[in-house]
Amino acid sequence: MPFTTRRPPRRRVAAVSVLIVLLLAAFALAWRPPLAEVAPPASFPPALVQQGAHLASLGNCISCHTAPDGAPFAGGRALPTPFGTIYGTNITPDPQTGIGRWSEAAFRRALREGVARDGHLLYPAFPYDHFTRLQDGDISALYAFVMTRTPVHATPPANQLMFPLQFRPVIAGWNLLFLEQGPRAPQPTRSAEWNRGAYLADAVAHCSACHAPRNALGAERIDTPFAGGEAEGWHAPALDANADSPVAWSIEALANYLRTGIVAEHGISAGPMQDVVRSLSEVDPADAQAIASYLSTHMNPPGPERLTREAAARQRAQGPLANDGSAGARLYADNCAACHDLGRGLSSNSALRLPLAVALYLPDARNLLHVVRQGIQPLPGRPGRWMPPFEGTLTEDQLATLAAWLRQQAAGQAPWPDLAQALQDTRPPAP
């Protein structure tokens, strides 16, 4: 019997061929050529640098690119995500560890396409899906700003990501699905202020990066851009027609809050929003007003249900919370009432009456528990309100009892179904 070779089944050949084609396509999508190293200009026009500084404040660049107690913009801040921890990069003009040898073209490619100078893909924790919509002139201004910062020789820690996300070519698939490149045209039917606010909120301040829910692949759900999201273990409240705040936001109140973090009948800024307010306090008030004008159209005039809830919250906030003799009431009286029953005023020991606190109306108790555990302190070097931390003063059972009582007594809301999980999620790590 003559010797014959056995041919593989046609289906197997076809499958292998398709796999090879897909791998080649993935490589083609992931591969980006490096751009040449350059020596940036020795100086930039002062007006351009000032414009870039304003934009960097609007984008809160310093927050993600500065480690605690680290040099400004030198990277190293840990950014927790559902997929692991990503560390902010060094964007000072240091030639070895920063972007000191990046051309403006390389800088523009990073913002528009999420590709570093050497060609590797950037993780979308850097919100290039928003920055891609920056106008060319604003990119030039931001480039001038970062290239005139003090160079700092610093290498951030390595990212800690789940398999297979350590392999950056995987991001090419994410970009293919979710990255829509390029600036957007203004809406001609809207006012100049609204269009300015839309551009700043989307392309620069990337508000929906925190305030939008995300899908299983970590991309924003563009069908619900302000329906509430996540930010570093905090819930970012909804800013749409179902806004969580018990009192509806006016444009003026929201504009003032963005720049100060505190306005009448609303909770004080806390958590990641403190960094945002710190940056926005340095911007032109007209730009904060424009952002507020744009966001207000997403919230729409409050409907009957929200108006009823607001009226009930205002009514409960007319005076001290009623003491029903329960364990929660006793905890409130012993730890909270001395400040919160006074209502917010000029006195340093007065605070917002809690029926007006948005943390009690959110889908879960994490924000409330974060605030009670950690307190609220002004940012270093800044004046502001202060609330003491109760971590270590109140037990876990007492925190749960107080939170559940406030949810019912102050907010008049149904119990949180996942209070035990929120306690676990906000518990500080063991020393």
Side-chain angles (χ1 to χ4, degrees):
M1 182 176 181
F3 176 80
T4 60
T5 59
R6 187 175 180 181
R7 295 182 179 179
R10 290 184 178 180
R11 288 182 181 177
R12 186 183 302 174
V13 172
V16 171
S17 300
V18 169
L19 179 60
I20 291 172
V21 170
L22 290 174
L23 289 173
L24 290 173
F27 177 79
L29 287 170
W31 185 81
R32 293 290 187 276
L35 299 181
E37 293 186 346
V38 300
S43 63
F44 294 86
L48 190 65
V49 175
Q50 184 176 5
Q51 178 188 351
H54 180 71
L55 291 163
S57 292
L58 283 161
N60 192 29
C61 302
I62 195 170
S63 179
C64 291
H65 290 281
T66 305
D69 302 321
F73 303 106
R77 176 168 178 174
L79 303 173
T81 78
F83 311 102
T85 301
I86 293 176
Y87 290 88
T89 54
N90 183 347
I91 58 169
T92 74
D94 179 69
Q96 283 78 42
T97 62
I99 60 172
R101 298 200 179 279
W102 285 37
S103 64
E104 185 175 329
F107 186 74
R108 179 178 293 106
R109 183 173 73 167
L111 294 174
R112 287 265 171 84
E113 303 176 36
V115 182
R117 186 206 62 77
D118 63 4
H120 77 258
L121 302 183
L122 302 172
Y123 290 108
F126 172 64
Y128 57 85
D129 53 332
H130 287 271
F131 296 155
T132 187
R133 295 190 272 278
L134 284 165
Q135 297 167 358
D136 286 344
D138 285 343
I139 292 177
S140 296
L142 282 166
Y143 180 72
F145 173 74
V146 295
M147 287 301 176
T148 51
R149 299 308 91 200
T150 300
V152 179
H153 190 85
T155 301
N159 297 325
Q160 303 293 324
L161 296 169
M162 63 175 61
F163 180 85
L165 298 180
Q166 305 95 324
F167 303 101
R168 290 180 185 264
V170 172
I171 303 302
W174 192 95
N175 291 338
L176 184 65
L177 291 171
F178 304 116
L179 178 60
E180 181 184 347
Q181 290 186 32
R184 292 177 175 174
Q187 293 193 21
T189 59
R190 295 287 191 174
S191 68
E193 180 183 68
W194 188 95
N195 276 298
R196 174 68 174 169
Y199 172 71
L200 294 178
D202 182 30
V204 188
H206 54 285
C207 301
S208 64
C210 291
H211 288 277
R214 293 179 178 267
N215 63 24
L217 296 178
E220 294 177 34
R221 289 179 49 188
I222 59 175
D223 56 326
T224 54
F226 293 106
E230 297 293 311
E232 300 178 40
W234 293 65
H235 181 78
L239 299 174
D240 59 8
N242 299 310
D244 298 296
S245 175
V247 175
W249 286 97
S250 69
I251 295 176
E252 291 299 325
L254 185 54
N256 287 333
Y257 174 82
L258 290 173
R259 298 186 66 249
T260 67
I262 182 170
V263 292
E265 298 188 316
H266 291 279
I268 192 171
S269 62
M273 192 63 194
Q274 277 192 304
D275 286 335
V276 175
V277 168
R278 173 194 60 190
S279 291
L280 292 181
S281 68
E282 301 172 354
V283 309
D284 184 343
D287 279 342
Q289 183 83 10
I291 293 173
S293 176
Y294 166 72
L295 291 177
S296 70
T297 60
H298 286 272
M299 289 186 272
N300 298 324
E305 183 178 346
R306 286 195 62 211
L307 288 173
T308 299
R309 187 182 72 174
E310 179 173 331
R314 288 181 185 276
Q315 180 63 37
R316 288 191 298 272
Q318 290 300 306
L321 294 181
N323 188 336
D324 59 8
S326 65
R330 291 193 297 272
L331 286 167
Y332 175 79
D334 293 343
N335 298 280
C336 316
C339 293
H340 287 283
D341 275 355
L342 292 175
R344 186 183 286 151
L346 295 178
S347 171
S348 61
N349 66 336
S350 62
L352 184 72
R353 286 202 167 115
L354 292 180
L356 304 178
V358 66
L360 294 175
Y361 297 83
L362 297 176
D364 64 65
R366 284 175 300 154
N367 287 22
L368 174 66
L369 292 170
H370 276 308
V371 169
V372 176
R373 287 184 188 276
Q374 303 168 14
I376 296 177
Q377 294 81 36
L379 292 168
R382 301 263 180 150
R385 296 292 179 121
W386 176 83
M387 172 181 159
F390 288 89
E391 181 66 40
T393 301
L394 299 178
T395 68
E396 295 291 295
D397 286 343
Q398 288 174 325
L399 285 168
T401 299
L402 177 62
W405 185 82
L406 288 172
R407 170 78 165 176
Q408 187 278 323
Q409 189 69 25
Q413 301 292 298
W416 280 301
D418 53 359
L419 183 53
Q421 184 63 50
L423 280 164
Q424 180 177 325
D425 291 344
T426 58
R427 192 173 298 142

